[in-house]
Amino acid sequence: MVIYILWLRQLKRYFRSKARIVGSLGQPLLFLVALGFGFGPIFQKAGGGNYIEFLAPGVIAMGILFTALFSGIEIIWDKQFGFLKETLVAPVSRFEVMIGRTLGGATVAIMQGIIVFLLALVIGFRPTNPGLLPLALLFMFLIALLFTALGTAIASILEDMQGFQLIMNFLVMPTFFLSGALFPLKGLPGSIVLVTQVDPLTYGVDGLRGALSNAFHFSVTADLLVLSVSVILLLIVGSYLFSKIQI
């Protein structure tokens, strides 16, 4: 019951803020239009095919990543204004509270990803195999859950929004740019290959691209395995850190 209430609260917050919904679509739209059409001819001449088809899964993952990570700000906000204290003194485990908030943030991030997917369709992107859309949704869910749990874990040990935003900016851009969202992973220098293989978003982008464009770099099994293990580990770490919050 507590998990459902906290999940529903996250959704209400999201739908009440129409400016947040519209504003969060600006960057994905810019990437799709500016990069998609700007680098499209160059990508095609290099033998890479349709760049919009390559780019769209990465931009969808970007929309999920940003929304999921920054959901942690709400924890700091609730700390400062007392709502979190009221929640934590309730006769329920902090694990349930953390799971409810994480599922709520992940659901919001998935909805953001779906909206970006619809924008990509308007731009001209078309899934290679519509029958694999459920698999794409599964990868979107794992990406959202993974980075919402990470945002929750980081927010649990911070007290101010400025510090959270600095850490998020330090994490978000390298995580995104080194995931293969904007460029193919083949032919990269060895050091960059190593970094991309450590980046969990790499496997989310690869899974989405494979499901939507039928172009796996690794394999669906490897992508699902790495993401699932990463989600479990971050949920454990996030739950532990959330349980240590002082009220």
Side-chain angles (χ1 to χ4, degrees), residues 25 28-29 32-33 37 52 56 60 113-127:
L25 296 177
L29 185 60
L32 285 170
V33 174
F37 292 109
I52 293 289
I60 293 169
I114 291 173
I115 294 173
V116 176
F117 171 70
L118 296 176
L119 280 178
L121 293 179
V122 174
I123 296 299
F125 172 73
R126 294 294 180 269

Side-chain angles (χ1 to χ4, degrees), residues 69-109:
L69 274 175
F70 281 93
S71 66
I73 288 181
E74 296 180 2
I75 293 179
I76 298 177
W77 182 274
D78 288 345
K79 279 184 188 179
Q80 294 180 349
F81 290 91
F83 179 81
L84 187 62
K85 181 177 181 179
E86 296 176 5
T87 304
L88 294 181
V89 298
V92 294
S93 70
R94 291 194 176 188
F95 176 74
E96 288 183 272
V97 175
M98 186 269 183
I99 291 297
R101 297 186 67 100
T102 301
L103 287 176
T107 304
V108 168

